[in-house]
Amino acid sequence: MASHIVGYPRMGPKRELKFALESFWDKKSSAEDLQKVAAGLRSSIWKQMADAGIKYIPSNTFSYYDQVLDTTAMLGAVPPRYGWNGGEIGFDTYFSMARGNASVPAMEMTKWFDTNYHFIVPELGPDVRFSYASHKAVDEYKEAKALGVNTVPVLVGPVSYLLLSKPAKGVEKTFSLLSLLPKILPIYKEVISELKAAGASWIQFDEPTLVLDLDAHQLQAFTAAYADLESTLSGLNVLIETYFADLTSGAYKTLIELKGVTAYGLDLVRGTKTIDLIKTNFPKGKFLFAGVVDGRNIWANDLASSLGTLQALEAIVGKDNLVVSTSCSLLHTAVDLVNETKLDDEIKSWLAFAAQKVVEVNALAKALAGQKDEAFFASNATAQASRKSSPRVTNEAVQKAAAALKGSDHRRATNVSARLDAQQKKLNLPILPTTTIGSFPQTLELRRVRREFKANKISEDNYVKAIKEEIKKVVDLQEELDIDVLVHGEPEFKLCRETIWLSTLVSSCLVLLSPLMGGCNLMDLAASSHQSSMVMLAALNQ
């Protein structure tokens, strides 16, 4: 039984890429130094998957910044403001698009579907002159092959690339981005031809937009694109990968009827209803890459449950045509649990980061092939039971309180107009109040204080004092600028991701709730918002 990984984190188990990038951007290291770190990470990732027994190992999922930006570079779709004059796109142009430079701003960044990952949005229009300007996909395939690892090169699919783009500045908002399909497909054909010549036997197209609510015209674009690519793809096994949600019946029908396609990768974690579509109609002789290991969280997979799902699918698609996979790229989870040395054994037994999920995928594949690791499955079952019953997760008092909630408990005692009146009396806001998103720039002084606090070089009292001083600065600045709704600036930023979100929530509510809080001091409340957030986190964890 075969196994597959959709994609893998590229930052490194100890954030090696992050530090190498920052050093390069600060001009403390050379492009060659950055490339050396990147090559080392790619090599270790491919070797790790090969050693774990994964059959279909992805390449070209590594990126210095973003995979959609990599596709923009591949297509030579560089906005004119960056002054690119053709040729292979180098770091200067690439990072200018990603981060901007002294003279021009970066391209827009937006959320990758409903994840916390953000991608660089392509800016396209009728006058864009596409050209094959980055050979990264082919280079990385050859790099892996030279190391003895035959990989599956991964490309962002042509239709998803266009659907995730936006009209460039000056282009009518009504411009049909899909009208550019005939212009970008020749580039894809060049890439495919080079991959075939290099020895690739499989190729993966990520087409995640298939899970969106697409109209007939958009679905037809997939049909047209792969019909056009069919002859070029001849001789290759072609995997179309989707993730993050169920497919509609129309999208599923479009997918399984695509020309020249060998296999379909489906998210069966978030796309539970897709299983019904598979049961109703799955093309004979095609491969199903079943995404049963969750690529979006840090929890260990319920192996027994996943094995049951796979066995049911095996009866439908055939034993030889079922491949065990992740639900999506493992980009969205942490890298390796082995580095979490401060977690106790109970909590660690509940977790699986990217490295552990690779092992889970292969364990499931071996179990399907009749080589079940009974000890591994038993340990997993014990951990699953522990997590469900542990008082660290299950708090009977909280469960009882939640069960006792009535419908009226979800509604405030006062109506909206009364609350608005109280707010207006207290704040006297104009019709269109001004505010900011919340986060102010992290100053060098703040970074120094945070480093010293983390290294136990200063006390918590001194840390809190520094935070309060920074809050006072940003509050004074906002008052000087006559901002209506003040924020505290999030100087405690980066303590942890949850704290950021919750402290933003807390601090953003403080001003608006102040009429109901007896005129509490904003600065003191905001300064303690990260502590409040930790209390809230503890409660949520119950």
Side-chain angles (χ1 to χ4, degrees):
M1 188 63 61
S3 52
H4 166 252
I5 304 297
V6 177
Y8 200 83
R10 56 256 196 164
M11 201 53 64
K14 295 184 178 180
R15 299 188 294 168
E16 291 89 342
L17 182 61
K18 172 185 183 294
F19 298 127
L21 284 167
E22 290 174 345
S23 176
F24 175 70
W25 292 335
D26 289 341
K27 302 188 186 309
K28 295 177 181 177
S29 60
S30 66
E32 290 74 20
D33 294 328
L34 175 58
Q35 290 165 337
K36 183 178 180 180
V37 170
L41 288 172
R42 289 192 295 269
S43 174
S44 65
I45 291 167
W46 292 326
K47 185 176 186 301
Q48 175 191 343
M49 285 192 259
D51 290 346
I54 301 299
K55 180 176 181 179
Y56 299 111
I57 298 171
S59 60
N60 198 41
T61 59
F62 174 88
S63 177
Y64 288 102
Y65 209 90
D66 163 51
Q67 69 266 19
V68 180
L69 180 61
D70 291 347
T71 309
T72 294
M74 182 185 82
L75 297 171
V78 181
R81 65 180 178 273
Y82 298 108
W84 177 66
N85 295 315
E88 189 81 5
I89 290 176
F91 281 154
D92 284 350
T93 300
Y94 182 84
F95 287 128
S96 290
M97 289 192 287
R99 308 175 70 236
N101 57 44
S103 57
V104 293
M107 295 168 70
E108 178 188 341
M109 179 182 284
T110 196
K111 284 174 70 70
W112 180 247
F113 295 81
D114 61 346
T115 72
N116 286 329
Y117 182 80
H118 288 67
F119 73 96
I120 303 296
V121 182
E123 303 172 10
L124 305 178
D127 298 328
V128 176
R129 295 183 178 180
F130 297 99
S131 63
Y132 187 9
S134 170
H135 292 67
K136 176 178 176 295
V138 178
D139 291 343
E140 290 186 12
Y141 172 79
K142 290 179 177 178
E143 182 182 325
K145 189 175 181 181
L147 295 170
V149 182
N150 191 26
T151 59
V152 179
V154 179
L155 301 175
V156 174
V159 182
S160 288
Y161 176 79
L162 293 177
L163 290 177
L164 293 169
S165 302
K166 71 172 187 178
K169 187 176 181 180
V171 175
E172 291 291 333
K173 299 299 181 186
T174 56
F175 173 71
S176 172
L177 293 162
L178 289 176
S179 68
L180 298 173
L181 198 55
K183 294 185 177 182
I184 68 170
L185 288 179
I187 314 298
Y188 275 87
K189 290 177 182 179
E190 287 189 69
V191 179
I192 294 165
S193 296
E194 287 193 6
L195 287 169
K196 286 171 65 175
S201 58
W202 279 82
I203 187 168
Q204 174 180 321
F205 291 98
D206 282 7
E207 293 281 13
T209 56
L210 273 167
V211 305
L212 301 178
D213 187 13
L214 303 178
D215 60 32
H217 172 66
Q218 292 168 323
L219 290 174
Q220 176 57 31
F222 288 94
T223 302
Y226 288 93
D228 193 332
L229 292 173
E230 183 181 12
S231 61
T232 308
L233 289 168
S234 177
L236 282 173
N237 291 295
V238 180
L239 166 64
I240 305 295
E241 186 71 45
T242 72
Y243 34 77
F244 299 149
D246 279 302
L247 292 171
T248 64
S249 58
Y252 180 76
K253 184 175 184 294
T254 297
L255 173 65
I256 63 175
E257 292 178 354
L258 292 178
K259 299 290 186 180
V261 174
T262 314
Y264 315 104
L266 302 174
D267 182 342
L268 302 182
V269 175
R270 291 191 166 229
T272 53
K273 295 178 182 177
T274 300
I275 294 177
D276 295 331
L277 296 173
I278 297 170
K279 291 177 180 178
T280 302
N281 180 25
F282 190 81
K284 187 176 181 180
K286 302 292 186 178
F287 289 85
L288 172 61
F289 282 56
V292 295
V293 173
D294 197 339
R296 289 187 55 169
N297 68 26
I298 58 170
W299 303 113
N301 194 55
D302 185 337
L303 294 179
S305 175
S306 292
L307 184 58
T309 299
L310 290 165
Q311 288 169 336
L313 291 169
E314 185 180 51
I316 299 168
V317 306
K319 186 173 184 177
D320 294 335
N321 290 351
L322 183 62
V323 178
V324 183
S325 185
T326 52
S327 66
C328 62
S329 172
L330 297 177
L331 169 70
H332 308 287
T333 190
V335 180
D336 195 342
L337 189 57
V338 72
N339 295 315
E340 302 300 325
T341 58
K342 295 182 180 180
L343 292 177
D344 62 56
D345 290 342
E346 181 184 42
I347 289 180
K348 287 187 80 169
S349 74
W350 302 343
L351 303 176
F353 294 175
Q356 288 70 46
K357 289 177 187 289
V358 168
V359 175
E360 289 180 339
V361 166
N362 198 56
L364 286 166
K366 290 175 69 176
L368 270 180
Q371 303 170 30
K372 184 178 179 182
D373 185 334
E374 296 291 352
F376 188 73
F377 272 71
S379 176
N380 175 265
T382 300
Q384 295 293 321
S386 165
R387 183 181 165 208
K388 288 178 181 176
S389 61
S390 172
R392 303 167 90 166
V393 175
T394 304
N395 186 310
E396 188 175 347
V398 172
Q399 288 182 328
K400 287 180 178 179
L405 288 173
K406 305 183 294 291
S408 59
D409 293 324
H410 299 285
R411 295 186 294 273
R412 301 192 185 189
T414 55
N415 60 35
V416 175
S417 60
R419 296 199 302 275
L420 287 173
D421 287 343
Q423 183 188 87
Q424 188 60 20
K425 286 177 183 176
K426 178 69 177 180
L427 301 178
N428 191 30
L429 295 173
I431 294 175
L432 291 174
T434 55
T435 187
T436 70
I437 284 178
S439 179
F440 273 58
Q442 297 289 293
T443 64
L444 291 175
E445 177 64 16
L446 267 179
R447 294 177 189 274
R448 181 190 64 78
V449 169
R450 189 179 298 111
R451 284 196 305 271
E452 292 184 354
F453 177 59
K454 189 175 180 180
N456 295 318
K457 292 181 179 180
I458 61 173
S459 67
E460 184 174 359
D461 287 343
N462 285 336
Y463 173 72
V464 172
K465 180 181 177 182
I467 292 294
K468 285 190 172 186
E469 288 174 352
E470 184 63 24
I471 291 171
K472 185 177 186 308
K473 289 179 184 176
V474 300
V475 169
D476 288 346
L477 174 62
Q478 291 170 86
E479 289 182 332
E480 180 185 338
L481 297 173
D482 202 23
I483 300 296
D484 298 306
V485 180
L486 309 184
V487 298
H488 79 294
E490 298 183 12
E492 73 284 14
F493 186 80
K494 287 188 179 177
L495 285 178
C496 75
R497 187 169 294 175
E498 292 88 351
T499 306
I500 297 167
W501 179 80
L502 285 167
S503 71
T504 303
L505 176 64
V506 173
S507 61
S508 298
C509 290
L510 293 178
V511 172
L512 300 179
L513 291 177
S514 61
L516 308 178
M517 299 175 69
C520 295
N521 183 277
L522 170 64
M523 191 175 78
D524 287 340
L525 283 168
S528 64
S529 68
H530 75 281
Q531 294 170 322
S532 302
S533 300
M534 297 309 292
V535 173
M536 292 169 70
L537 271 176
L540 287 172
N541 285 334
Q542 302 301 320

